[in-house]
Amino acid sequence: MLITDIKSMKEISEKLRKEGKSIGFVPTMGYLHEGHISLMECSKKENDITVVSIFVNPTQFGKNEDLDKYPRDLERDLKICKEVGVNYVFYPSVEQMYPAGYSTYVIMESLVDRLCGAFRPGHFKGVLTVVNKLFNIVKPDRAYFGKKDYQQYVVIKKMVKDLNMDIQIIGCPLIREKDGLALSSRNKYLSKEERESALSLSKALFKAKQLFEKGETDVSKLKEEMEKIMRSYPHVKEIQYIEIVNPENLEPKEKAEKGDIILVAAFVGSTRLIDNIQL
Ligand code: PAF
């Protein structure tokens, strides 16, 4: 069922909670793909009711980012949600979420200064604010996030802990195409040739993991190898970062250990892509 206003969504959630039903929540910006579907499936297994939100959140986009051209297809998204068996789709307008005079934001003082946060100032302030608002409206017991946005997952988990929110944050595995490309709504922007170059991110990650498994733990050597692979593809325009970090606090490592996360971000053509792998 499609819900477009905040008041109705709150009433439905309150009623469900009173009835003792558990609510699983999958926040999205729409243009749904297999990655989102896996989150919905997970939520369906673990909860009585699954709510999906579709909201392209303007506060998490920078001035020169892709807010206006972000892919949207509500009809297709609703069809997918119906097929998967989602109970409610929450689709609020920007005017409702951020009415004139809106001025309250959630600011984290650690973890957001690095990786994507260093290249997208204000991004996590927007993410945390909207996720907080959505949590207050949907009142979930559990919320599901893809580990493709690994930093987002860690930052949201920390917000929930720091603010004593009674919500379990569940991170679900990143989903890849058969050839290794991590699923992302932004893959739609890639031309055929750019898509070839986009494979460089996963190829570099797989190679680093392979080298680590053969005994290489020197982070600078692993990063060097990854950069070499990525630079050999014609449409990789800018490598923003290649980092190997502790999975909990995102602190960069010098010696790689099992469980660490390797993360990359790069522009392929004019599309910014991210990917990661756990050692
Ligand atoms: O990962 C996303 O799609 C967004 O950042 C989220 C969590 C829905 C907040 O707008």
Side-chain angles (χ1 to χ4, degrees):
M1 192 200 285
L2 178 65
I3 314 292
T4 56
D5 73 287
I6 293 176
K7 188 165 171 279
S8 306
M9 188 69 247
K10 283 182 99 163
E11 281 168 8
I12 289 168
S13 302
E14 268 151 35
K15 185 166 174 286
L16 289 167
R17 290 192 74 117
K18 273 198 196 118
E19 288 168 359
K21 300 254 169 59
S22 60
I23 303 176
F25 179 40
V26 182
T28 81
M29 298 208 296
Y31 214 73
L32 304 174
H33 51 64
E34 284 298 327
H36 298 114
I37 293 173
S38 74
L39 303 179
M40 299 173 197
E41 299 282 9
C42 237
S43 168
K44 275 188 59 188
K45 264 190 219 128
E46 296 175 357
N47 302 279
D48 299 318
I49 299 290
T50 290
V51 179
V52 170
S53 66
I54 298 176
F55 181 64
V56 181
N57 172 37
T59 64
Q60 70 188 73
F61 287 79
K63 269 206 182 89
N64 300 315
E65 292 185 349
D66 56 343
L67 173 62
D68 292 339
K69 66 167 192 167
Y70 196 83
R72 297 159 208 244
D73 190 342
L74 181 63
E75 219 169 285
R76 185 176 152 276
D77 288 348
L78 291 176
K79 198 164 159 266
I80 291 173
C81 289
K82 195 168 171 204
E83 278 164 15
V84 177
V86 165
N87 302 90
Y88 298 96
V89 176
F90 178 48
Y91 179 71
S93 64
V94 173
E95 292 71 28
Q96 275 185 83
M97 291 294 275
Y98 299 110
Y102 186 90
S103 63
T104 304
Y105 294 88
V106 177
I107 291 170
M108 188 169 285
E109 294 191 339
S110 65
L111 299 181
V112 300
D113 55 339
R114 61 200 65 192
L115 302 168
C116 287
F119 292 91
R120 304 186 69 189
H123 170 67
F124 287 111
K125 174 179 160 191
V127 169
L128 291 176
T129 300
V130 81
V131 168
N132 207 316
K133 284 169 70 71
L134 290 167
F135 282 176
N136 286 333
I137 296 164
V138 175
K139 303 179 182 41
D141 297 277
R142 297 180 191 84
Y144 296 80
F145 294 88
K147 285 192 182 169
K148 179 180 155 268
D149 296 291
Y150 190 80
Q151 185 176 17
Q152 169 172 282
Y153 159 68
V154 172
V155 162
I156 290 171
K157 244 188 359 182
K158 177 155 174 61
M159 172 183 78
V160 164
K161 181 167 178 266
D162 283 354
L163 298 181
N164 310 100
M165 301 166 92
D166 287 327
I167 299 169
Q168 201 183 333
I169 301 300
I170 293 153
C172 301
L174 178 158
I175 309 281
R176 299 184 182 281
E177 305 259 15
K178 276 201 186 73
D179 59 7
L181 184 68
L183 292 192
S184 163
S185 304
R186 288 189 168 99
N187 292 348
K188 179 184 155 57
Y189 301 147
L190 301 169
S191 67
K192 197 163 163 275
E193 295 75 26
E194 287 169 348
R195 197 190 172 289
E196 263 318 294
S197 286
L199 291 176
S200 68
L201 278 77
S202 54
K203 285 217 160 82
L205 288 165
F206 296 155
K207 178 73 184 178
K209 183 162 171 146
Q210 193 189 57
L211 291 172
F212 172 77
E213 281 166 356
K214 282 189 185 149
E216 182 59 83
T217 58
D218 185 334
V219 164
S220 55
K221 288 215 181 99
L222 293 169
K223 281 164 68 165
E224 207 177 291
E225 196 57 41
M226 289 179 67
E227 193 174 336
K228 215 179 340 165
I229 293 174
M230 290 176 70
R231 292 216 184 278
S232 70
Y233 285 77
H235 296 285
V236 175
K237 296 294 173 218
E238 181 196 341
I239 300 174
Q240 287 195 328
Y241 61 77
I242 299 175
E243 293 289 357
I244 302 186
V245 303
N246 173 292
E248 307 294 330
N249 59 22
L250 306 180
E251 283 298 329
K253 305 289 291 279
E254 279 176 19
K255 285 262 168 247
E257 288 175 278
K258 190 145 183 62
D260 287 348
I261 311 282
I262 315 182
L263 304 103
V264 291
F267 273 92
V268 176
S270 57
T271 305
R272 186 177 180 279
L273 298 176
I274 58 173
D275 198 348
N276 69 77
I277 204 164
Q278 186 154 33
L279 292 177

